[in-house]
Amino acid sequence: MRVDKDVAEIPLVATLSNYKRSGMCRVLMDELEKQMFRMGVRRLVLPAATEVVSTWSQGFGFKSLRGREESGESSLTE
């Protein structure tokens, strides 16, 4: 995780296959959001492969930032 004043970037989020679909990522993201808010961070940015953009946007409330879709990767912000 990279933090710069009021913006934090989460470059990679992965879950071990044994823990997928068990809510572990939700727990992690909820705690990261709380901690970042306490530190004054107001925006989380997450680079995401095109095939998982809907997971991050629908499941976690991230919104797409324009400009990187043509590379097969999107940047999302919450």
Side-chain angles (χ1 to χ4, degrees):
M1 175 177 267
R2 297 178 194 122
V3 180
D4 182 34
K5 297 182 184 175
D6 62 348
V7 178
E9 179 187 19
I10 305 168
L12 177 66
V13 178
T15 305
L16 289 171
S17 58
N18 293 351
Y19 296 101
K20 287 187 180 192
R21 314 256 342 130
S22 68
M24 296 304 278
C25 189
R26 169 60 62 197
V27 171
L28 173 67
M29 293 305 294
D30 287 349
E31 188 59 31
L32 281 175
E33 288 176 17
K34 286 180 203 171
Q35 295 300 320
M36 293 300 102
F37 185 80
R38 288 183 188 130
M39 292 173 59
V41 171
R42 297 299 178 252
R43 176 175 275 186
L44 295 177
V45 178
L46 173 81
T50 303
E51 58 270 10
V52 295
V53 167
S54 64
T55 299
W56 287 107
S57 59
Q58 294 171 11
F60 291 87
F62 280 81
K63 294 176 180 52
S64 183
L65 295 173
R66 303 285 178 232
R68 296 189 67 186
E69 290 83 1
E70 62 279 352
S71 68
E73 184 179 274
S74 294
S75 288
L76 304 170
T77 187
E78 183 176 53

